[in-house]
Structure formats: C-alpha cells, structure tokens
C-alpha cells in the first residue's frame, strides 16, 4: 500500500512539473502563485516522506524510495535548466539524498548496489556530482543546516563516521567507470546540453578533479582496519592512476607504511608506484623495508604479494652489497623457524638475489664445509639480528649457515630445494610465482598424489597366525 501510494503521488507530481505548476512564481502574490505555493508545499512534504523511507527497515522500500527521488531529481533539473536556458543540476536535492544514504546505518546493501549500478555507473552527471558531494560531506566543517535550513542536526559526522566510511567505500568500490574518457555525454538530467568549460559536467578534467577530491577527503576519515586494508589493496590500480595529483596521497601512504605489520605490507604497492612513476623521494625506504622482515612475515596472509614487490625493490644492480647481504641474511634467519610454505618461498628468493648480486656470493663461500674462505657457523656468526640498520648488522661478514641447516630440514622437499646452494650456480633464476602460493594443503595434496617407486619399509613383520608363541595373550588362551 505504501509503495502504491507514493508511486501514484510521483506520477501526479511529474505531471504537475510538466505543466509548470510547481515552478516558483516571481510575479508577486496572485491566485496562480498561491496555488503554486500550495502545490509546492505538498511536493516538499512528499519528498520528505520519500527521504524518511530511505531509512526504512525493508530494503525493497528503500530502493523504491530512491527511484522516486531520482525521478524528482530529473524533474527539478529539467525545470531549472529550461528556466535558466543553460544546464542546471539540482544538487541541493541530490546532496540531501546522498547524505541520508551514506550517513545512515540503515542503508541496505541492496540500496547501495542500486545507487551504484542503476545510476552512478550509467550516468556521468550523477557520478560527477556524487564525487563532489562526497568531498563536501567528508569535509570537517560541513553542516547541512548552515545555509538557512531549519531544525537542529541530530547526528554529527563524528557520530556517524563508521556508517559514512562503510557506505561510501562500498559505493565507491562498486563504481566501475573511471575518469579516463575525453568527453562525457550520458546525463540523467539532459534537458539542456552542458557547455564544455573547465567546470562543466561534460569536461574530462572536471571529472578527474572531482574523483581526486572525493578520494582525498575520504582518506582523511577514521577508517576501520578492514577498510584501511581494502583501500591499500586497490590503491595502485583504481585510485593513483586517475588522480590529478597522485603525490597528494604521499602522506596517507607514508603513514600506512610506518604503521608496521600487515598495513605496511599493503602500503608498499602504492608507495612504490609513487616512487617509480611520480618521483617520490622517500627517505630510509630500505631501512623501513628491512624492519618488515620479522618473525611474522612468512606467516601473514599477504606474504605472496609482498615478495612479488620485494623482487622489484632489490632488482637494481646499483644497490650496495651490504644492503642486499642484510636482506639475504635476514630472510635466511627467518627461514629456519618458518613453516614449510615460508621456507619454500625464502630459498628461491635468496637464490635469485645471489644470482643478481654476485658480490654477495661470499656469504655462500663462508658456509661450513666450503674451502677457500674462513667458515662462519652459528656460534661465530657476527651478524646482529637485532640491529635495525642494515648498514650496521655485519651481514657481509657473515655466512649463510642457515641454508646448511635447511639442507637437513624435516620435510624432504625443503631439504632437496636447499641443496641447490651446494651445487655450482649454473641454473637460471627461479620463477618466484611457482613458490609463493604453497600451503600445508598443497604440500599434502602433492605428496599423496605421488606414486611411490617402491613400498615403504615397515618395522613390524606381518603376522602369520592369529596367536603367536611369545605373545602375552597366548598364555591365557589355549586353542
């Protein structure tokens, strides 16, 4: 009944807009203006009811209210454009709709999906003003009642920050259209074609600017840990390439990189993009990277992602030998206490680094059992594992005795892989992708799928009779 009533009222008010009966009359107090004011008062009450329905507990009613409100945006925009003779967008109404959706804890996933798929992904003007309005709502001094609106604001953005962050990120993540087009022509409000000036809704530069301002404003919000990680995961693909000035994200990524733990690992991709493509000068980058190699690294969820980047970071032949040696030594030290999946990643990484930086081969030559260099074992190792500065940890004076330990690993596959360091370095570099996604499950599947060449030796002889002489039970049972 509610849907039928609001839908019927929507058709009535649509007809009144087309007849021009809801336009504001500027000719003074007349009979026509009195009727127009009365109709407009009822129209505003109708809009208020629809906004209330956006907070309804049922998702279907929320979506129905959104569709009717978006039709109202069309009618108001067409009326404004015809009156002025130029393109006009009713952003006051649109902003109030977005604020109720993004700032509301009642917003359902269905409502957010409808907003993104049925409107923002299809219409350039709605997407453009969405980004502008997100930047406005996220502004710390934003107040919807500042411009003469009556009433008191019952909830501040600080109180609703969690809902705003969650809903806004969900919608922005659903937007598939990125600001790469040279011209925009798909408009929800299209009574009059917009001009091509730099602030126009059809201008490509204006869309990129709105996109950039929205993301910068959003990233200033108090993000939850989960959203923080999701933003960092997609930063280098979906955000940085489309920013007007990507260096504006430097503070956000630097703070994330300094946070430690998995947050730092996820920040690496975006930070490296700024360093590589935007000439960001980040002091002590390798010192911070060295600090990430702790006992948790080979156990975290994002280990594979991290080592893909790490191979890029240490790929330059201009890096000093002491720095590369410090990373090699730290990885080897972590490998001896890592799970098999961690160790099977560490060994190819060390091998590839030694192939790329021959000046570090001295670490192999000092391993116990090698001739020509003074051997360094675990007891005489000068490496300072607790030293945070790779330049002061004495890695280049050490050896890779840890690899000799791994050659006696309890898991035969690890021991076999580690034996490569006892052979001449004639083999090509490992393809790291082949080793990054191993788990206990993949090891188990591989071992159980392998057909043994011969039956395993058993310590127990197969019985030839039910009871054998000498068994304890044979003394009690006599057949």
């Amino acid at each position: 009944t509610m849907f039928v009533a609001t839908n019927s009222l929507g058709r009535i008010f649509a007809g009144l807009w087309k007849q021009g009966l809801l336009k504001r009359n500027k000719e003074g107090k007349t009979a026509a203006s009195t009727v127009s004011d009365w109709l407009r008062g009822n129209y505003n009450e109708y809009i208020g009811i629809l906004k209330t329905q956006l907070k309804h507990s049922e998702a279907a009613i929320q979506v129905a209210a959104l569709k009717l409100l978006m039709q109202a945006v069309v009618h108001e925009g067409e009326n404004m454009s015809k009156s002025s003779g130029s393109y006009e967008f009713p952003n006051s109404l649109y902003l109030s709709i977005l604020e109720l959706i993004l700032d509301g804890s009642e917003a359902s996933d269905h409502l957010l999906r409808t907003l993104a798929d049925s409107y923002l992904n299809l219409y350039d003007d709605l997407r453009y003003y969405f980004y502008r309005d997100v930047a406005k709502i996220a502004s710390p001094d934003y107040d919807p009642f500042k411009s003469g609106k009556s009433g008191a604001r019952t909830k501040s953005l600080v109180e609703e920050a969690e809902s705003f962050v969650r809903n806004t990120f969900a919608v922005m993540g659903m937007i598939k259209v990125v600001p790469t087009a040279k011209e925009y022509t798909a408009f929800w409000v299209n009574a009059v074609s917009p001009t091509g000036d730099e602030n126009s809704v059809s201008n490509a530069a204006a869309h990129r600017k709105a996109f950039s301002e929205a993301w910068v404003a959003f990233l200033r919000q108090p993000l939850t840990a989960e959203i923080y990680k999701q933003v960092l995961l997609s930063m280098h693909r979906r955000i940085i390439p489309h920013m007007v000035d990507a260096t504006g994200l430097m503070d956000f990524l630097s703070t994330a990189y300094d946070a430690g733990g998995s947050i730092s690992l996820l920040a690496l991709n975006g930070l490296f993009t700024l360093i590589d493509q935007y000439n960001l000068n980040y002091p002590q980058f390798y010192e911070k990277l060295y600090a990430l190699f702790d006992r948790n690294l080979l156990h975290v969820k994002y280990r594979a992602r991290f080592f893909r980047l790490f191979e890029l970071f240490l790929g330059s032949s201009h890096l000093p030998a002491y720095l590369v040696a410090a990373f090699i030594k730290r990885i080897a030290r972590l490998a001896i206490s890592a799970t098999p999946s961690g160790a099977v990643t560490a060994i190819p990484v060390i091998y590839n680094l030694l192939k790329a930086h021959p000046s570090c081969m001295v670490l192999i030559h000092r391993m116990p059992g090698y001739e020509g260099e003074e051997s360094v074992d675990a007891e005489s190792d000068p490496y300072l594992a607790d030293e945070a500065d790779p330049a002061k940890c004495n890695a280049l004076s050490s050896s890779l005795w840890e690899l000799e330990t791994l050659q006696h690993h309890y898991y035969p596959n690890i021991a076999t892989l580690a034996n490569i360091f006892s052979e001449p370095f004639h083999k090509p570099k490992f393809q790291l992708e082949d080793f990054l996604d191993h788990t206990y499950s993949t090891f188990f599947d591989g071992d159980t799928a392998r057909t043994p060449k011969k039956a395993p030796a058993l310590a127990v002889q197969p019985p030839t009779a039910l009871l054998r002489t000498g068994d304890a039970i044979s003394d009690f049972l006599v057949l």
Side-chain angles (χ1 to χ4, degrees):
T1 304
M2 181 188 299
F3 172 76
V4 173
T6 52
N7 201 39
S8 298
L9 286 172
R11 289 197 297 269
I12 292 171
F13 284 117
L16 293 174
W17 274 115
K18 290 181 180 179
Q19 297 176 40
L21 297 177
L22 291 175
K23 291 194 301 184
R24 298 185 186 278
N25 198 322
K26 300 180 181 180
E27 297 178 357
K29 195 69 173 177
T30 62
S33 66
T34 301
V35 173
S36 178
D37 291 343
W38 178 80
L39 289 173
R40 193 166 185 88
N42 283 277
Y43 170 75
N44 290 335
E45 186 176 350
Y46 165 72
I47 294 296
I49 293 172
L50 292 178
K51 290 179 180 179
T52 302
Q53 291 179 3
L54 286 177
K55 294 182 174 293
H56 199 277
S57 58
E58 293 187 22
I61 293 178
Q62 294 178 2
V63 172
L66 174 64
K67 291 179 178 180
L68 291 170
L69 284 168
M70 296 307 293
Q71 289 297 324
V73 170
V74 170
H75 300 315
E76 288 198 21
E78 291 176 348
N79 178 70
M80 292 168 60
S81 299
K82 290 178 181 178
S83 298
S84 65
S86 60
Y87 180 84
E88 297 286 346
F89 186 86
N91 194 42
S92 177
L93 172 60
Y94 188 55
L95 173 61
S96 65
I97 296 170
L98 292 178
E99 186 182 17
L100 286 169
I101 295 174
L102 301 179
D103 204 22
S105 57
E106 306 88 352
S108 64
D109 292 340
H110 188 21
L111 176 65
L112 300 178
R113 174 66 66 181
T114 302
L115 174 63
D117 290 348
S118 300
Y119 298 102
L120 302 181
N121 279 325
L122 300 180
Y123 300 100
D124 299 326
D125 54 348
L126 295 180
R127 187 170 58 256
Y128 169 75
Y129 281 100
F130 169 82
Y131 284 132
R132 287 187 54 179
D133 292 342
V134 164
K136 185 180 294 186
I137 297 171
S139 174
D141 57 352
Y142 173 69
D143 185 355
F145 297 98
K146 188 175 181 180
S147 56
K149 293 184 179 180
S150 60
R153 189 174 189 179
T154 57
K155 293 183 180 180
S156 68
L157 279 177
V158 174
E159 295 172 333
E160 293 294 333
E162 186 175 345
S163 296
F164 173 76
V165 167
R166 182 182 64 253
N167 295 338
T168 303
F169 182 71
V171 174
M172 293 173 80
M174 295 176 195
I175 298 177
K176 307 302 181 186
V177 182
V178 293
T180 56
K182 296 182 179 180
E183 188 177 12
Y184 295 90
T185 56
F187 301 121
W188 180 247
V189 179
N190 57 6
V192 178
S193 298
T195 60
D197 61 67
E198 62 181 13
N199 295 317
S200 169
V201 70
S202 64
N203 184 272
H207 276 260
R208 289 193 67 191
K209 181 181 178 183
F211 175 89
S212 302
E213 291 176 348
W215 273 109
V216 170
F218 174 76
L219 295 177
R220 293 195 184 107
Q221 303 305 302
L223 307 182
T224 63
E226 184 59 31
I227 291 179
Y228 202 175
K229 292 178 181 179
Q230 291 182 36
V231 169
L232 292 173
L233 275 170
S234 59
M235 176 74 72
H236 65 290
R237 296 191 313 270
R238 300 196 68 243
I239 302 175
I240 291 179
H242 312 298
M243 297 286 288
V244 173
D245 182 13
T247 57
L249 300 173
M250 179 176 63
D251 291 341
F252 175 80
L253 289 170
S254 298
T255 302
Y257 189 47
D258 294 339
S262 60
I263 297 293
S264 294
L265 300 184
L266 296 176
L268 272 174
N269 224 330
L271 194 62
F272 177 71
T273 302
L274 292 184
I275 293 173
D276 183 49
Q277 300 179 16
Y278 298 90
N279 299 320
L280 169 66
N281 182 22
Y282 190 89
Q284 298 182 327
F285 175 79
Y286 286 99
E287 287 81 353
K288 298 278 180 65
L289 182 63
Y290 185 71
L292 294 181
F293 282 83
D294 57 20
R295 63 174 59 189
N296 299 316
L297 178 64
L298 296 179
H299 303 270
V300 296
K301 176 182 178 181
Y302 308 104
R303 180 186 67 223
R305 177 190 179 94
F306 173 79
F307 277 106
R308 289 187 186 99
L309 287 172
F310 177 71
E311 200 171 35
L312 289 175
F313 298 151
L314 268 73
S316 173
S317 59
H318 300 290
L319 293 175
Y322 77 84
L323 180 65
V324 179
F327 281 104
I328 292 174
K329 184 65 179 178
R330 178 65 68 91
I331 296 171
R333 183 64 61 87
L334 294 175
I336 60 176
S337 60
T339 61
S341 58
V344 82
T345 299
I347 292 172
V349 169
I350 294 172
Y351 185 85
N352 289 351
L353 287 175
L354 290 171
K355 288 283 288 185
H357 302 275
S359 57
C360 295
M361 286 295 293
V362 65
L363 298 176
I364 292 288
H365 299 156
R366 294 199 190 102
M367 284 174 58
Y370 277 77
E371 298 180 357
E373 290 279 351
E374 182 179 354
S375 66
V376 176
D377 56 19
E379 295 181 357
S380 60
D381 194 350
Y383 173 68
L384 303 176
D386 296 328
E387 174 58 55
D389 188 350
K392 300 178 182 178
C393 67
N394 299 330
L396 205 56
S397 301
S398 180
S399 76
L400 291 178
W401 59 263
E402 296 91 348
L403 297 180
E404 195 267 340
T405 303
L406 288 175
Q407 291 173 355
H408 305 282
H409 198 276
Y410 70 88
Y411 185 50
N413 290 4
I414 301 297
T416 302
L417 186 62
N419 281 331
I420 194 172
F421 295 100
S422 298
E423 302 171 2
F425 269 53
H426 295 157
K427 294 183 179 180
K429 293 175 61 177
F430 284 105
Q431 292 296 321
L432 203 55
E433 287 295 329
D434 297 337
F435 300 89
L436 292 178
D437 297 316
H438 278 296
T439 62
Y440 280 118
S441 178
T442 60
F443 287 137
F444 181 81
D445 292 343
D447 288 340
T448 54
R450 186 182 300 116
T451 302
K453 296 181 180 179
K454 60 181 180 178
L458 299 177
V460 180
Q461 295 180 358
T464 57
L466 178 61
L467 299 176
R468 293 180 298 182
T469 303
D471 288 346
I473 194 171
S474 65
D475 297 335
F476 301 98
L477 296 176
V478 178
L479 298 178

